[in-house]
């Protein structure tokens, strides 16, 4: 059982997959929802401070490098785009916009992208981390309810 929790924990740390995939995996493993929810949130949040503090600097450094330049430029553009979209839609409600951006579980709007966008918008560290955490909690609830219902139905009819 520990191995299954570890898989969920590690999947929740992976960009683009994050908690949105890890929670359904936990339900596929038939793990208790609350415990797996907590494990996935912790896994999803561990990279956030590192991303906020270092990702922008590393990406800007690597932009002009031969082998990694294209990928780093792509990441910077994604961060700028995400930040511009948030700022455009949010105006002065940037905290709520970031929370919803991270919290509504659609591809490309998770904690990694949200944190990178917040760093490009120069939101404060504490404010960004709290907004991302609230968004991750919201996404976890949405994915938990959806996947618990789906897997309950599948296991009921199987």
């Amino acid at each position: 059982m520990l191995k299954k929790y570890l898989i969920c924990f590690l999947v929740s740390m992976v960009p683009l997959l994050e908690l949105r995939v890890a929670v359904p995996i936990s339900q596929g493993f038939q793990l208790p929802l609350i415990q797996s929810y907590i494990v996935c949130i912790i896994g999803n949040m561990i990279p956030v401070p590192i991303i906020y503090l270092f990702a922008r600097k590393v990406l800007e450094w690597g932009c002009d490098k031969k082998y990694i330049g294209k990928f780093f430029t792509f990441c910077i553009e994604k961060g700028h785009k995400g930040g511009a979209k948030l700022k455009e839609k949010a105006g002065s409600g940037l905290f709520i916009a970031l929370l919803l951006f991270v919290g509504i579980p659609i591809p490309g709007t998770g904690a990694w992208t949200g944190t990178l966008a917040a760093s490009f918008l120069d939101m404060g560290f504490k404010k960004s981390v709290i907004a991302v955490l609230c968004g991750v909690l919201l996404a976890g609830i949405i994915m938990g309810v959806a996947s618990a219902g789906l897997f309950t139905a599948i296991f009921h009819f199987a």
Side-chain angles (χ1 to χ4, degrees):
M1 180 162 350
L2 184 61
K3 183 179 176 182
K4 293 177 181 178
Y5 280 114
L6 183 60
I7 290 169
C8 294
F9 177 78
L10 293 173
V11 168
S12 67
M13 294 177 79
V14 175
L16 301 176
L17 300 180
E18 301 182 29
L19 165 133
R20 300 150 204 282
V21 174
V23 170
I25 288 173
S26 76
Q27 295 309 286
F29 285 152
Q30 295 182 313
L31 295 172
L33 184 59
I34 300 298
Q35 289 91 328
S36 56
Y37 173 73
I38 292 168
V39 167
C40 292
I41 286 171
I42 293 168
N44 203 172
M45 287 303 296
I46 285 176
V48 168
I50 297 163
I51 295 164
Y52 185 87
L53 296 172
F54 300 111
R56 182 177 176 181
K57 292 173 186 155
V58 170
L59 290 173
E60 289 171 349
W61 166 84
C63 250
D64 59 351
K65 304 300 183 253
K66 186 175 180 178
Y67 297 105
I68 57 174
K70 284 183 182 180
F71 176 70
F72 280 31
T73 301
F74 166 78
C75 292
I76 286 175
E77 289 170 0
K78 186 152 177 72
H80 277 298
K81 256 188 215 173
K85 259 188 206 176
L86 274 177
K87 201 168 200 170
E88 176 186 311
K89 291 181 179 180
S92 62
L94 200 53
F95 179 88
I96 298 296
L98 180 59
L99 183 155
L100 293 174
F101 180 80
V102 173
I104 297 173
I106 56 176
T109 64
W112 282 73
T113 306
T115 304
L116 188 58
S119 75
F120 280 111
L121 289 171
D122 294 321
M123 283 180 71
F125 176 78
K126 185 177 177 181
K127 193 174 184 179
S128 298
V129 171
I130 292 171
V132 169
L133 174 62
C134 292
V136 166
L137 292 170
L138 176 61
I141 290 169
I142 292 169
M143 293 309 298
V145 168
S147 57
L150 174 68
F151 283 104
T152 300
I154 289 171
F155 293 132
H156 178 71
F157 292 112

